[in-house]
Amino acid sequence: GDSVTQMEGPVTLSEEAFLTINCTYTATGYPSLFWYVQYPGEGLQLLLKATKADDKGSNKGFEATYRKETTSFHLEKGSVQVSDSAVYFCALSGGTNAGKSTFGDGTTLTVKP
Amino acid sequence: EPEVTQTPSHQVTQMGQEVILRCVPISNHLYFYWYRQILGQKVEFLVSFYNNEISEKSEIFDDQFSVERPDGSNFTLKIRSTKLEDSAMYFCASREGQTYNSPLHFGNGTRLTVT
């Protein structure tokens, strides 16, 4: 079945540092890839997505590029802010198990002023 | 912006009791899901629901679990006889269409505590 592997956390950065959270996936077919963010006490919300190879999703300064050759979808941001502190989830849908989305384990990011 | 709403936000119950978690998906969405999250980390798929029937369920979704869309707006998850290990955050989600390009829209969750 499908699977998503994220880099282990937690990640602690200083404000304005560069962020990378690695994500790789296993799926057959041509899944769509997503990053979701979860702020404390809230549900998951979509951060960005990419639906085919070489697509770049971007939102709020975050970017991720769908790399089919390396089956990766790494999340990056050039300069993080304290308000970016949250849990980040990589996910896919439309792969082997087309009817559901499969999530990575989540990476907790803490940004210190 | 339309949102998925879940009630209650927190439910405490004793082991062996029945609980019903309620969700109102976004009105024009057709696909509905329940996920759970333990210890604020891993998000686990429970069940998907379309056209008034379950389309897929996980191993977690055993005979103690059931879902229902009783009135065209609410979408409920029932746990018949709760166990301690059912303690988790339960998230309802909905998706607009059949294409998997469209993201899931999540509610803020119900924290279930089984004592």
Side-chain angles (χ1 to χ4, degrees), chain A residues 50-57 64-69 72-73:
Chain A
T51 59
K52 60 183 187 295
D54 300 324
D55 265 4
K56 178 187 283 188
T65 300
Y66 189 149
R67 299 286 188 203
K68 193 164 178 62
E69 64 274 15
S72 65
F73 193 54

Side-chain angles (χ1 to χ4, degrees), chain B residues 53-96:
Chain B
E53 59 183 25
I54 291 174
S55 47
E56 189 173 355
K57 59 183 180 180
S58 71
E59 293 177 353
I60 302 168
F61 195 89
D62 61 22
D63 292 344
Q64 294 300 312
F65 290 85
S66 63
V67 290
E68 195 176 38
R69 189 158 161 80
D71 56 13
S73 61
N74 290 285
F75 178 50
T76 61
L77 174 69
K78 181 191 292 185
I79 309 175
R80 290 190 184 81
S81 178
T82 51
K83 302 187 280 286
L84 293 176
E85 54 265 36
D86 293 329
S87 295
M89 281 290 287
Y90 287 81
F91 290 104
C92 174
S94 65
R95 191 198 300 270
E96 181 175 4

Side-chain angles (χ1 to χ4, degrees), chain A residues 1-3 25-33 66 68 71 92-98 102, chain B residues 100:
Chain A
D2 299 340
S3 67
Y25 67 91
T26 302
T28 59
Y30 301 92
S32 294
L33 302 175
Y66 189 149
K68 193 164 178 62
T71 62
L92 70 83
S93 67
T96 311
N97 300 318
T102 300
Chain B
Y100 302 107

Side-chain angles (χ1 to χ4, degrees), chain B residues 9-15 17 19 21 79 82-90 110-115:
Chain B
S9 57
H10 193 186
Q11 175 84 48
V12 181
T13 189
Q14 289 188 327
M15 193 168 53
Q17 295 297 304
V19 294
L21 310 183
I79 309 175
T82 51
K83 302 187 280 286
L84 293 176
E85 54 265 36
D86 293 329
S87 295
M89 281 290 287
Y90 287 81
T110 294
R111 179 173 298 283
L112 176 64
T113 302
V114 182
T115 62

Side-chain angles (χ1 to χ4, degrees), chain A residues 32 34 36 38 41-44 46 49 51 87 89 93-94 97-101 103-106 108, chain B residues 33 35 37 40-43 45 48 55-56 58 89 91 95 100-109:
Chain A
S32 294
F34 305 84
Y36 290 86
Q38 184 181 31
E42 298 183 10
L44 284 73
L46 177 70
K49 70 174 187 180
T51 59
V87 183
F89 292 89
S93 67
N97 300 318
K100 64 172 182 167
S101 292
F103 288 80
D105 286 352
T108 300
Chain B
Y33 303 82
Y35 284 80
Q37 184 181 35
Q41 287 293 328
K42 189 170 183 66
V43 177
F45 169 77
S48 59
S55 47
E56 189 173 355
S58 71
M89 281 290 287
F91 290 104
R95 191 198 300 270
Y100 302 107
N101 296 344
S102 59
L104 294 171
H105 294 255
F106 285 86
N108 281 342

